[in-house]
Each structure stands twice: as C-alpha cells, then as structure tokens.
C-alpha cells in the first residue's frame, strides 16, 4: 500500500518513483521537521531490488530519449519547468518544513531558479550540435552525445535548487536520470517526480530513489551500468563515491564543502561589507559557498566588528515559514552536536567568543549566530568546515600575509573580497579558489563555471562545462579530399 506525507494540505508520496510509477518499499524511514522536531511521516528506503528496478527502467528509456533531438527534448523540459511553477507554493512550503530553509527565499528565489535551471539548459542544448572545427585536411564535427544512465545525489541543504541544477543539463543532453533524494530532506524530490509525470516526461527518463546513502546511494554508485555520477555534499562521502565509481571507471562530478575567505581590505566600504558578512548566517550557515573565515585588515577590525554586530543583533531567528525570519533551524540534532563540538574545542584551544556560541531559545535545533576570534591558522575551527552559523575572525597587516591566510586551508570553493575595486580584484586573482565575488555576494549565472579546487571538488557545473561532463564528446572527421589508406601514413 502506498504511503504519504501530509504537510498542511499538500500530499507527498513516500514511495520511490521508477519507470513512471510509484513503487513501494519493504522498509521505510522516519522523516522529521527541523522546525519543531515533529515526525512528518515515513519515506521508502531503497533496497538492492529497488536499485535494480530503477537502473533497468532508466536503461529501457534511454534509447528513445537519446534519439530525440534537443528541440524535441526541450518541449518536454519546458513543460517540466511549467509544472514546477504551478506547484511553486507546494515546493516552497514543503522544503521549508522538511529542510528548515526560509519559506520567503524559496518563494521569491529558489523555485524560480529551479524552473530556470530546466529551461536554460534545455535551450543551451540546442547550440551544442552545431559546433565544427575546419582544418586543412578535414571538417571535424564535434558532437555531444548522451552518456547513458546518470545518478544525481544532492544534499539536504538545498534539495530543489541543486537537483534541478544537475537534472537540467543531464536530461537536456539525452541522458536518463536517477535522483537519489537526500535522506534528511527527501520531500521536494518526490514532488519533482509528480511534476515530471504531469509534464509527460516519458517513463524511466526521470526516476527518484529514496533512502540512506549507505544503502540507496552506495548501491547506485557501485553499479557498472551507471555512466555518470554527479554529487554535491561532504568530502568524506565524496571519497567513498569516487572509490566506488572508480571500480567501473565511471566519471564523477564532485561539488564539495568550503572554508571560504571573506576578505575585508582597509579600503572597503565597512558598512556594506559588514551587512554582507551577516548574510553568511543565512540558512543557519548551512551553505557550502559561505565566506566563513573573516579576514579583516587590522586597521579597521574594531569598526568592522561593531558594524557587523549591529546587523547580526537585528537578525530574526525563528520559524522559517514566518516571512520575518532570517535564520532558521539546523537540519538535525546530529548536526547541532557537530556545531557545538567545534565551538567547544575551539574555545578550549583559546578562541574568544564575540557573540553567540550557544543554542537559541527558540527551539532545540536553533543556534545563535556565532563569531569566534583569537584563532590560529592551524586551528581545527579555521581549517575544517563546520556547516553551521559559525564564523571566525582573523586580522592581517599586508597583502602577502592575507594571501597566505586565504590560501592556507585544504579547501578552495568560493570567496568574497571587499575593498577598492582594482585592489580587491587583484587580491581576488591571487586567492586559490573556484570562484570569488568582488564587492558582492551570490551573483550567479548559469553560463558561468561553478565548482571548487583542492578538497572542494572535481569538475565544473554551468554552461558548456555541465554538458562536457554529462556527454560523451565525439569527433566525426570528414576529409576534404578523397582518402586512400597507406602504410606510410602517419
């Protein structure tokens, strides 16, 4: 018998979505809301037989979907985006309740971005097959052919945005997809299946498997029938995925964590920089690209701290469904314990608390925005990702010292640099990272590359970079003169 989760008047299937149908499971997992810790219901856990069903369904659907032109696939994908839009309020409330993200941000930003992810890459795919390289000897017709069955694994902090960010180019390329829903926040993945079905996406082209990473995720990644694995999440999980996929030489795209520098030069607009720094507490700090290491010129440190304090004290911590809320809950009790553990160890190592560093009275999974100073470069709190509302503050006196600090971790995802525009841009060029914002934060374009270096990941997403991963690139060589084979030819 099929199971369902009810969030207000929204009915969400708890079952897998395979081959265009809901598929029940032998075992189900409880799902909690981080808002109040209440059980939302149960979702299916993927067994080996479920994994096999999903892969078989995707394999059956692949030849017909791959045979369509990019324009024909675009018709389906535009309808898919339309269906997401029709369910905008459902997606917003569901993800807010399930993952604890801000309802207002879902409603006014994320759902629209999810639609754009699908539409943009469907449009981009139209341009891919027209590329040729004209040389003296031949015309090289460069093709982006679909790779096959793709596994997409997304984290719990932004399920809808990150799922569609990967599904857009994967489906537009002609691949068939299996989305592994995040264990702690699976509900919007299930709603995506409803939207795909309503859009008429052919059975087996898009499938959703739920469950734990150790069972569902590991089973999918290890299967030799998988052509690509796209993962966003933690470094330890990425290592397991890469090791497993390597057994079958399956390419992986890995967008991982960050410990990004937030640089404030002596010439910075201090108030603007402080206001932006307070944004790092958004989503309770559970954002991989947040600038969590504040590196502030020593001459403006006190002024910057007081300006930032005013913005932080004005932040509303509370129920993420309330439009006035700016900082919601941490996803799970285990994550709260992780955050608290980092802070206690940092304090024991000599860190000084400027604000926060304790649970917020609003609820069990709420934590006060925190800033720690008097930290050393090799301290755990500086070197490792906390993934909570915790920032550190260090000062510098000259550019070379700053660059050494900014580049002095094993991560390299993002960064922020505030200061006089030319100077800030020159500093940004020297920071070893996948991307960095100058006098800004969060500006994204789907044509631009996104990804990290070092422990922050492998590969890039966005524009042609997404298609280069999800496609098999083929060179069709057409000679300009009659060709005759010769043993002397090189």
């Amino acid at each position: 018998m099929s199971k369902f989760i009810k969030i207000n008047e929204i009915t969400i299937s708890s079952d897998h979505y395979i081959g265009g149908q809901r598929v029940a499971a032998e075992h189900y997992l409880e799902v909690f809301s981080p808002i109040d810790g209440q059980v939302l219901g149960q979702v299916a856990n993927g067994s080996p037989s479920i994994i096999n069903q999903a892969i078989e369904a995707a394999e059956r659907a692949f030849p017909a979907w791959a045979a369509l032109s990019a324009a024909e696939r675009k018709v389906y994908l535009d309808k898919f985006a339309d269906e997401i839009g029709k369910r905008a309020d459902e997606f917003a409330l569901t993800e807010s309740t399930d993952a604890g993200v801000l309802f207002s941000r879902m409603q006014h930003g994320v759902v629209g971005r999810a639609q754009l992810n699908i539409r943009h890459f469907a449009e981009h795919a139209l341009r891919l097959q027209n590329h040729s390289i004209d040389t003296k000897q031949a015309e090289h017709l460069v093709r982006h052919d679909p790779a096959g069955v793709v596994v997409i694994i997304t984290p719990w902090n932004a399920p809808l945005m990150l799922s569609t960010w990967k599904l857009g180019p994967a489906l537009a390329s002609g691949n068939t997809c299996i989305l592994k829903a995040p264990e702690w926040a699976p509900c919007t993945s299930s709603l995506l299946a409803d939207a795909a079905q309503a859009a008429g996406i052919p059975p087996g082209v898009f499938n959703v498997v739920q469950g734990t990473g150790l069972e569902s995720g590991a089973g999918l990644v290890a299967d030799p029938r998988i052509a690509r694995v796209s993962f966003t999440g933690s470094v330890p999980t990425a290592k397991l995925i890469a090791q497993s996929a390597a057994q079958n030489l399956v390419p992986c795209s890995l967008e991982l964590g960050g410990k990004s520098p937030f640089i404030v030069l002596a010439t910075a607009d201090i108030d603007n920089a402080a206001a932006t720094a307070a944004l790092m507490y958004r989503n309770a700090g559970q954002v991989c690209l947040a600038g969590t290491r504040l590196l502030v010129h020593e001459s403006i440190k006190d002024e910057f701290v007081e300006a930032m304090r005013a913005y932080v004290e004005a932040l509303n911590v509370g129920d993420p469904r309330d439009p006035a809320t700016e900082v919601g809950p941490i996803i799970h009790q285990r994550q709260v314990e992780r955050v608290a553990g980092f802070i206690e160890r940092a304090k024991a190592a000599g860190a000084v608390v400027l604000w926060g560093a304790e649970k917020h009275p609003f609820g069990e999974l709420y934590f006060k925005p925190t800033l720690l100073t008097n930290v050393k470069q090799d301290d755990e709190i500086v070197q490792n990702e906390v993934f909570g509302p915790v920032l550190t503050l260090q000062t510098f006196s000259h550019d070379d010292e700053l660059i050494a600090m900014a580049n002095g971790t094993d991560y390299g995802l993002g960064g922020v640099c505030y200061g006089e525009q030319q100077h800030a841009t020159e500093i940004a060029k020297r920071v070893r990272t996948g991307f960095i914002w100058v006098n800004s934060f969060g500006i994204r374009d789907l044509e631009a590359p996104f990804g990290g270096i070092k422990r922050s990941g492998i590969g890039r997403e966005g524009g042609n970079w997404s298609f280069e991963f999800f496609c098999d690139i083929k060179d069709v060589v057409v000679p300009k003169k009659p060709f005759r084979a010769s043993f002397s030819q090189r």
Side-chain angles (χ1 to χ4, degrees), residues 378-432:
D378 59 355
D379 283 353
E380 177 197 43
I381 195 73
V382 173
Q383 291 294 320
N384 294 330
E385 185 178 45
V386 178
F387 221 60
V390 180
L391 309 181
T392 59
L393 174 68
Q394 297 167 274
T395 61
F396 64 91
S397 59
H398 55 80
D399 287 358
D400 288 343
E401 180 186 19
L402 163 64
I403 295 302
M405 294 166 68
N407 294 336
T409 75
D410 289 333
Y411 291 93
L413 183 57
V416 181
C417 187
Y418 269 86
E420 185 275 324
Q421 191 93 338
Q422 184 176 352
H423 185 197
T425 301
E426 291 304 313
I427 291 293
K429 292 176 182 177
R430 296 175 64 187
V431 178
R432 296 198 63 220

Side-chain angles (χ1 to χ4, degrees), residues 5 14 27-33 37-45 98 182-187 211-212 332:
I5 289 173
S14 299
H27 302 289
Y28 286 77
L29 307 169
E30 282 191 325
V31 178
F32 301 83
S33 172
Q38 295 299 306
V39 175
L40 295 175
Q42 296 182 320
V43 296
N45 191 21
D98 189 28
E183 178 182 344
W184 284 350
C187 291
T212 66
H332 195 280

